[in-house]
Amino acid sequence: MAIAPVAGVTGVQPAAMLGQVAPTTPASTGVDFASVLGSVDQLQQMQSTSQQLAVQAVTGDLDDVHDYTVASAQSSLALELTATVRNKAVEAFTEIMRMQV
């Protein structure tokens, strides 16, 4: 009993074509080190704004506590995201170094 071939599968390339795929570089992905540093500056600015609003809330100069709550949540989330991305980058670097041994 013969098995009929699967018809209609498209988009699958032979393994020999894999070597012809252009490598991605930071320039082609649009991410460079300067933009990463800009993101860190934005994180620092968010934290500074959150701290200023906290001081205003404590001293009674803040009209709407909602502004502080939102700024604090944004700052916290941005810090968590930055730490997670950093940890993943360190893990990837460690894995690459382990593979080269």
Side-chain angles (χ1 to χ4, degrees), residues 23-37:
T24 59
T25 61
S28 67
T29 59
V31 177
D32 58 352
F33 193 67
S35 68
V36 173
L37 290 179

Side-chain angles (χ1 to χ4, degrees), residues 67-91:
D67 294 336
Y68 166 67
T69 306
V70 170
S72 177
Q74 285 177 341
S75 175
S76 176
L77 184 61
L79 181 62
E80 288 180 33
L81 177 64
T82 303
T84 301
V85 168
R86 185 217 45 203
N87 291 343
K88 289 295 182 179
V90 169
E91 286 177 19

Side-chain angles (χ1 to χ4, degrees), residues 5-67:
V6 177
V9 177
T10 60
V12 179
Q13 299 177 354
M17 304 272 305
L18 291 178
Q20 298 174 3
V21 175
T24 59
T25 61
S28 67
T29 59
V31 177
D32 58 352
F33 193 67
S35 68
V36 173
L37 290 179
S39 298
V40 173
D41 287 340
Q42 286 178 348
L43 171 63
Q44 189 174 13
Q45 186 179 19
M46 280 182 178
Q47 289 179 333
S48 176
T49 302
S50 177
Q51 288 173 354
Q52 289 173 357
L53 290 173
V55 169
Q56 288 178 358
V58 170
T59 59
D61 295 334
L62 188 63
D63 294 331
D64 191 6
V65 181
H66 180 260
D67 294 336

